[in-house]
């Protein structure tokens, strides 16, 4: 049996892509997208009719040019999500504009709009996860959304403080970024490499996973942002892992044995005291890696969001009558 099949027997495998063909090939349980993946998807031939429809739909809603572009981006995200849900049996994660990462009320409004767009296409709420950056403001928005029945995927998660606050908020799922943690340590320490067991990104996910299980938190841990299959194998048994198509292919071609690496700790029955805002901000910022990578991640998503908007504006202008 190949390693991808073995992994599926102990972990929910999610495709980290907006590429319909890759999703059809690897038949994951769920799929997840982000602004960077949407930008790539929007350049693929099969999505061009969808993009034209979204531009026309947004224009018909009226409003300013910037309002139409914002609507168009969300429409495209929901439409691509809808197409993916015709293939995967589980859920799609769709991301809120990263520029809203420090505004709870704006995040709430955008998340509700995305869910309304999905509802208009007949998609049930339980099949969608709204992706929100794991800032304090984002976590507070997710706490409110979860009470409304809107399930959330808290992304760009690098610190234990973020993980604790997400569990306190009762979010459905978190995405700790394994590869980006490794990147930081390779760039900012004397280390030239790590074994999977020593990998700081792997160790971060293992710590969060065991803490959640020990204290009885229901939040799903979905490791993300992998650089190699060694990281994935070192987290076999994690609740869920979101994996890029190239690494899914490597696992599918490897017929070696894949032992379980994570087994949940016994629930101690001891509750964990909630993490307040002051402690959250201090602990997160006291972790230089987490502080730097969260900010960098938000900035990179914003760059791709703006690039997608510019692409859509140019296409809309081409379609205008002379």
């Amino acid at each position: 049996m190949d390693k991808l099949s073995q992994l599926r027997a102990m972990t929910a495998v999610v495709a980290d892509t907006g590429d319909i063909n890759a999703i059809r090939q690897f038949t994951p349980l769920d799929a997840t997208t982000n602004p960077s993946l949407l930008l790539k998807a929007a350049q693929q031939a099969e999505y061009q009719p969808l993009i034209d429809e979204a531009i026309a739909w947004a224009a018909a809603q009226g409003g300013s040019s910037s309002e139409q572009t914002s609507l168009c981006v969300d429409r495209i995200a929901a439409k691509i999500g809808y197409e993916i849900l015709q293939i995967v049996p589980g859920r799609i994660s769709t991301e809120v504009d990263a520029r809203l990462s420090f505004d709870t009320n704006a995040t709430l409004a955008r998340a509700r709009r995305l869910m309304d767009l999905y509802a208009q296409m007949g998609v049930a709420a339980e099949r969608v996860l709204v992706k929100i950056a794991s800032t304090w403001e984002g976590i507070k928005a997710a706490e409110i959304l979860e009470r409304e029945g809107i399930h959330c995927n808290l992304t760009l998660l690098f610190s234990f403080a973020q993980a604790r606050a997400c569990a306190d908020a009762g979010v459905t799922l978190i995405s700790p970024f394994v590869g980006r943690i490794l990147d930081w340590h390779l760039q900012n320490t004397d280390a030239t490499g790590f074994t999977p067991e020593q990998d700081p990104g792997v160790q971060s996910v293992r710590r969060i996973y065991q803490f959640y299980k020990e204290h009885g938190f229901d939040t799903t841990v979905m490791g993300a942002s992998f650089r190699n299959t060694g990281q994935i194998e070192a987290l076999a048994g994690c609740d869920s892992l979101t994996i890029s198509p190239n690494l899914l292919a490597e696992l599918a071609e490897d017929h070696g044995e894949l032992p379980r690496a994570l087994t949940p700790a016994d629930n101690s029955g001891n509750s964990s005291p909630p993490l307040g805002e002051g402690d959250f901000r201090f602990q997160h910022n006291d972790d230089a890696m987490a502080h730097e990578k969260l900010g960098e991640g938000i900035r990179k998503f914003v760059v791709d969001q703006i690039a997608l908007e510019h692409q859509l504006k140019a296409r809309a202008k081409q379609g205008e009558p002379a």
Side-chain angles (χ1 to χ4, degrees):
M1 186 181 294
D2 62 80
K3 286 186 176 178
L4 181 56
S5 298
Q6 293 176 66
L7 182 64
R8 283 185 168 132
M10 59 185 105
T11 291
V13 173
V14 178
D16 193 10
T17 181
D19 185 336
I20 290 286
N21 293 325
I23 293 169
R24 287 195 183 103
Q25 179 182 356
F26 295 108
T27 60
L29 175 65
D30 299 333
T32 181
T33 63
N34 60 44
S36 305
L37 295 174
L38 286 180
L39 179 61
K40 292 178 183 177
Q43 296 164 2
Q44 296 176 7
E46 58 261 47
Y47 287 126
Q48 301 316 302
L50 180 154
I51 291 168
D52 289 336
E53 184 278 338
I55 291 171
W57 175 86
Q61 308 310 304
S64 67
S65 174
S66 61
E67 289 170 340
Q68 289 182 26
T69 301
S70 175
L71 272 171
C72 186
V73 170
D74 282 355
R75 176 80 167 184
I76 288 169
K79 290 284 283 185
I80 289 178
Y82 173 84
E83 295 298 328
I84 291 171
L85 286 174
Q86 306 314 298
I87 304 170
V88 302
R91 301 178 296 195
I92 181 68
S93 288
T94 300
E95 192 143 355
V96 169
D97 188 337
R99 287 170 292 193
L100 309 179
S101 296
F102 301 98
D103 188 330
T104 296
N105 289 331
T107 296
L108 288 169
R110 191 61 60 85
R112 290 165 182 154
R113 186 168 83 181
L114 281 168
M115 293 305 296
D116 184 56
L117 288 169
Y118 273 113
Q120 291 174 28
M121 290 182 276
V123 176
E126 59 265 23
R127 297 204 68 196
V128 180
L129 291 172
V130 176
K131 285 180 77 175
I132 301 170
S134 300
T135 59
W136 178 259
E137 295 81 2
I139 294 168
K140 292 296 103 178
E143 186 172 18
I144 295 168
L145 292 168
E146 291 283 357
R147 290 200 296 265
E148 296 177 359
I150 297 175
H151 302 300
C152 300
N153 171 353
L154 271 291
T155 188
L156 293 174
L157 193 145
F158 302 98
S159 72
F160 190 65
Q162 288 174 297
R164 282 190 58 189
C166 286
D168 293 339
V171 305
T172 298
L173 181 147
I174 62 168
S175 298
F177 275 38
V178 178
R180 296 194 195 186
I181 294 176
L182 172 64
D183 294 345
W184 188 92
H185 283 273
L186 290 175
Q187 292 166 3
N188 293 276
T189 69
D190 294 332
T192 57
F194 297 91
T195 67
E197 292 294 318
Q198 298 170 330
D199 188 301
V202 169
Q203 291 179 347
S204 175
V205 175
R206 287 183 173 183
R207 181 188 181 193
I208 293 166
Y209 175 86
Q210 295 299 349
F211 177 80
Y212 278 15
K213 303 311 177 191
E214 181 180 349
H215 293 285
F217 289 113
D218 293 329
T219 299
T220 295
V221 180
M222 182 174 75
S225 173
F226 293 106
R227 298 293 178 260
N228 54 68
T229 56
Q231 293 175 321
I232 296 167
E233 293 180 32
L235 292 174
C238 191
D239 298 330
S240 183
L241 299 174
T242 181
I243 306 170
S244 62
N246 62 310
L247 294 179
L248 288 171
E250 287 187 34
L251 290 167
E253 293 166 3
D254 188 339
H255 286 75
E257 184 180 356
L258 179 61
R260 188 182 188 103
L262 272 68
T263 302
D266 291 334
N267 187 337
S268 66
N270 297 324
S271 60
S272 172
L275 191 65
E277 181 178 356
D279 287 335
F280 169 87
R281 292 193 186 279
F282 177 79
Q283 291 177 26
H284 178 74
N285 284 279
D286 196 44
D287 184 336
M289 175 277 298
H291 173 70
E292 293 173 18
K293 296 305 287 186
L294 174 60
E296 177 188 77
I298 291 171
R299 289 191 298 273
K300 286 184 175 180
F301 280 163
V302 168
V303 166
D304 286 338
Q305 180 90 10
I306 292 172
L308 177 58
E309 290 175 355
H310 286 166
Q311 180 179 320
L312 295 173
K313 286 179 181 178
R315 186 164 184 138
K317 192 172 183 179
Q318 289 174 0
E320 292 175 354

